[in-house]
Amino acid sequence: MVLTSLGSSNIHVNASATPGGDGRSWASAFNHLQYALDASLLINEIWVAAGIYYPDDGGGQSNNDRLASFTLIDGVSIYGGFNGTETQLDQRDPELNVTVLSGDIEQDD
């Protein structure tokens, strides 16, 4: 994936999003956190909607790879707790919109 400019200071991620999004808005959100991490050199925040995210999904990862991990980027903040409609960071509600980064690679627990 090659991104030259997102034109905003944040990337949007929603596990329920249609595959192929570019992360520029909730309507075109990435469906895997790994895609956002790959593009994060262009932004300073990643907004993640409620859902469960696995490190072996997206971003060139191999499915069920037990060595897969989320590699955080220095200077990029990741915020969960969004429902997928917010336009401001202070509109999120992490208690209502639970965002989980899960290590259950095989999704069997």
Side-chain angles (χ1 to χ4, degrees):
M1 173 179 307
V2 177
L3 296 176
T4 55
S5 174
L6 287 174
S8 69
S9 63
N10 56 49
I11 293 177
H12 301 80
V13 181
N14 188 334
S16 300
T18 302
D22 60 16
R24 295 177 194 223
S25 68
W26 288 120
S28 64
F30 289 123
N31 63 330
H32 296 299
L33 180 57
Q34 287 291 6
Y35 292 138
L37 289 168
D38 288 348
S40 66
L41 294 177
L42 305 171
I43 51 83
N44 57 13
E45 292 181 357
I46 298 174
W47 291 8
V48 186
I52 302 174
Y53 299 87
Y54 303 93
D56 64 325
D57 290 341
Q61 300 295 320
S62 297
N63 193 34
N64 295 331
D65 179 357
R66 299 200 51 76
L67 298 177
S69 64
F70 293 110
T71 302
L72 305 182
I73 309 298
D74 189 37
V76 177
S77 299
I78 300 174
Y79 298 97
F82 294 94
N83 68 20
T85 62
E86 298 85 355
T87 57
Q88 300 293 318
L89 186 61
D90 63 357
Q91 294 172 323
R92 69 191 183 112
D93 186 345
E95 291 182 21
L96 182 62
N97 303 303
V98 178
T99 303
V100 177
L101 305 185
S102 176
D104 182 17
I105 300 296
E106 294 182 15
Q107 301 177 28
D108 58 357
D109 291 327

